[in-house]
């Protein structure tokens, strides 16, 4: 909001003392001091030159898990997205900066580190000219004993063989990837400016599963894009029925002010968008339920989150195939453990998204 509406916000929200742009975090303390000392309310921007790496952090999530952002900004130009315009071009943190933060988090008790970015696979490209995610993962494995390292948000075109080799060889790099594909119809992918087509996606998914057997895949889809026809939706449903993602989120497209797609013809009605979301989700529910059933009888490593949200009588945790906050959970119906423990749970019950079982 601040990057985008700047002076307008200053004018329209007189009750706000200080507006900070996305790279101005490190200036907060000095800016607050200025305010206390009677300086006027103002807008504060740092140049979009680097990612804050040295900033001290508070753990807002439970102590046993944390997100670490490794880049800021994005150099892609998806036709529906304002992030590059708002957050600026890609800026990667230094490898040592990320490993230092990870080591600090480990000392605080973090056992699951989720790496995040607009696109993890772009890490290093702004600095080195090529992707350095595999190098970063090597460094994290060396610098910490973090038992679970999870990768969230990878652009399909950036998932390299070198990355898959790391995942296959190192058990602490979880066999789980979140790869937002957005769609599977060539026409819509082209209109979205995603730079890949259905054939590339099919090849990629087969390649990932061959390189890392048993890997769990999550994706995100966008339906109701301008110009999307019934046949595009049918193709998408056929694609997800065939390729069976473990987890899938569907969003209804909405116009972002200033994006090219805002001006595309054949905009879809809100009612129709909602219908398409429901159609896709109805397919995924069946896939998910079948997938969940396949865990019955298996014994899984589970990171204990604490007492279950559903009932004080149960514990709740997550398996390797379940990312925090988005993928469902495992209810622990028998046994004792503390938050942050990684225990072995034998699965005896499967629901559509959640599992249940006792500690062995
Ligand atoms: S959708 Fe993601 S990859 Fe595309 S421009 Fe936006 S942030 Fe970048």
């Amino acid at each position: 909001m601040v990057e985008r509406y700047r002076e307008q916000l200053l004018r329209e929200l007189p009750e706000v003392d200080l507006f900070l742009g996305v790279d101005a975090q490190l200036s907060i303390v000095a800016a607050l001091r200025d305010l206390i000392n009677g300086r006027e309310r103002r807008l504060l921007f740092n140049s979009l030159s680097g990612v804050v790496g040295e900033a001290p952090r508070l753990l807002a999530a439970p102590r046993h898990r944390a997100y670490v952002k490794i880049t800021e900004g994005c150099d892609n130009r998806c036709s529906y997205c304002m992030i590059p315009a708002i957050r600026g071009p890609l800026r990667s943190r230094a490898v040592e900066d990320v490993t230092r933060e990870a080591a600090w988090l480990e000392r605080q008790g973090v056992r699951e580190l989720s790496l995040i970015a607009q696109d993890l696979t772009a890490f290093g490209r702004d600095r080195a000219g090529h992707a350095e995610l595999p190098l970063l993962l090597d460094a994290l494995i060396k610098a910490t004993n973090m038992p679970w390292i999870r990768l969230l948000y990878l652009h399909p075109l950036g998932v390299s063989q070198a990355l898959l080799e790391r995942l296959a060889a190192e058990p602490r790099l979880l066999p789980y990837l979140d790869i937002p594909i957005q769609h599977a119809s060539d026409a819509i992918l082209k209109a979205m400016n995603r730079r890949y087509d259905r054939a590339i996606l099919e090849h990629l998914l087969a390649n990932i599963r061959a390189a890392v057997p048993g890997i769990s895949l999550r994706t995100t889809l966008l339906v109701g894009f301008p110009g999307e026809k019934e046949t595009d939706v049918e193709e998408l449903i056929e694609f997800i029925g065939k390729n069976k993602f473990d987890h899938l989120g569907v969003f209804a497209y909405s116009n972002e002010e200033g994006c090219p797609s805002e001006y595309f013809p054949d905009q879809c009605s809100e009612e129709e968008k909602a219908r398409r979301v429901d159609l896709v989700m109805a397919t995924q529910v069946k896939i998910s339920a079948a997938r969940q059933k396949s865990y019955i009888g298996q014994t899984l490593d589970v990171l204990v989150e604490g007492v279950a949200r559903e009932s004080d009588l149960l514990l709740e945790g997550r398996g390797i195939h379940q990312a925090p906050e988005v993928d469902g959970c495992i209810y622990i119906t028998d046994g004792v453990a503390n938050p942050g423990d990684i225990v072995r749970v034998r699965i005896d019950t499967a629901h559509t998204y959640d599992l249940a079982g006792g500690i062995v």
Side-chain angles (χ1 to χ4, degrees):
M1 291 286 284
V2 176
E3 290 288 342
R4 195 164 177 181
Y5 296 110
R6 302 191 172 209
E7 304 294 336
Q8 196 180 328
L9 285 181
L10 201 56
R11 230 177 16 250
E12 290 181 10
L13 295 174
E15 65 275 32
V16 176
D17 295 313
L18 182 65
F19 295 91
L20 294 153
V22 293
D23 274 4
Q25 297 98 315
L26 282 185
S27 311
I28 288 178
V29 175
L32 289 176
R33 210 168 274 142
D34 283 353
L35 274 176
I36 291 165
N37 292 334
R39 284 272 300 270
E40 279 183 11
R41 54 193 291 275
R42 62 196 174 123
L43 283 160
L44 188 64
F45 296 97
N46 287 9
S47 64
L48 296 173
S49 56
V51 180
V52 175
E54 301 294 335
R57 72 176 280 184
L58 272 179
L59 286 175
R63 285 202 96 68
H64 51 270
R65 58 177 159 89
Y67 298 95
V68 169
K69 193 165 193 188
I70 62 169
T71 71
E72 182 56 278
C74 182
D75 285 346
N76 293 319
R77 289 292 177 271
C78 303
S79 61
Y80 53 87
C81 179
M82 277 303 284
I83 283 176
I86 295 171
R87 294 197 164 262
L90 174 71
R91 286 102 70 210
S92 303
R93 292 173 64 179
V95 170
E96 311 74 56
D97 180 26
V98 179
T99 53
R100 203 179 311 123
E101 183 174 359
W104 180 82
L105 288 167
E106 188 181 10
R107 290 197 294 279
Q108 308 311 305
V110 169
R111 312 220 58 208
E112 178 182 16
L113 191 73
S114 293
L115 299 184
I116 56 170
Q118 263 80 40
D119 167 18
L120 282 187
T121 71
F123 178 79
R125 232 179 257 149
D126 51 318
R127 191 181 39 228
H130 59 267
E132 288 188 325
L133 183 59
L135 199 129
L136 174 67
L137 297 179
D138 292 346
L140 281 171
I141 290 296
K142 211 167 148 206
T144 72
N145 289 310
M146 191 72 71
W148 284 16
I149 299 175
R150 192 183 292 280
L151 309 185
L152 300 178
Y153 323 137
L154 298 96
H155 193 284
L157 287 181
V159 180
S160 66
Q161 209 56 38
L163 174 62
L164 296 176
E165 279 164 19
R166 279 1 181 244
L167 254 52
E170 175 51 62
R172 287 160 57 202
L173 298 175
L174 299 186
Y176 175 105
L177 290 176
D178 181 348
I179 307 175
I181 63 166
Q182 309 302 358
H183 217 285
S185 146
D186 287 355
I188 300 301
L189 288 170
K190 189 157 190 270
M192 288 177 167
N193 197 27
R194 293 290 291 179
R195 301 184 288 116
Y196 50 82
D197 58 16
R198 176 181 174 145
I200 291 176
L201 286 179
E202 301 249 14
H203 183 260
L204 171 72
L205 294 172
N207 199 20
I208 293 173
R209 287 182 166 132
V212 191
I215 191 170
S216 295
L217 296 176
R218 159 171 271 276
T219 198
T220 312
L221 304 173
L222 192 55
V223 296
F225 196 76
E228 185 186 62
K229 300 188 180 64
E230 198 64 37
T231 48
D232 296 313
V233 182
E234 284 165 11
E235 179 169 8
L236 180 59
I237 289 172
E238 184 261 317
F239 180 90
I240 63 165
K242 182 176 165 200
N243 289 284
K244 296 192 176 28
F245 288 90
D246 298 75
H247 309 280
L248 183 146
V250 192
F251 294 92
Y253 168 83
S254 63
N255 279 325
E256 267 285 333
E257 188 187 324
C259 284
S261 60
E262 188 188 359
Y263 305 102
F264 288 179
D266 302 323
Q267 298 271 337
C268 194
S269 71
E270 294 305 317
E271 213 178 11
E272 184 54 27
K273 285 178 200 171
R275 189 186 71 85
R276 293 177 186 186
V277 168
D278 290 347
L279 273 178
V280 176
M281 271 328 282
T283 307
Q284 181 60 23
V285 163
K286 288 184 212 139
I287 296 168
S288 180
R291 185 83 186 93
Q292 296 291 93
K293 261 197 197 133
S294 72
Y295 286 109
I296 291 180
Q298 289 190 39
T299 301
L300 306 178
D301 283 345
V302 174
L303 176 65
V304 177
E305 292 279 4
V307 174
R309 287 164 291 180
E310 296 257 314
S311 161
D312 288 356
L313 303 173
L314 303 172
L315 289 173
E316 186 177 321
R318 281 176 299 102
I320 281 166
H321 68 288
Q322 293 167 320
E325 298 174 51
V326 285
D327 287 341
C329 68
I330 296 177
Y331 293 109
I332 301 172
T333 51
D334 192 22
V336 180
N338 292 311
D341 287 351
I342 296 176
V343 294
R344 302 278 290 159
V345 172
R346 187 173 161 81
I347 303 300
D348 54 33
T349 311
H351 305 286
T352 310
Y353 298 111
D354 303 323
L355 298 168
I359 294 177
V360 294

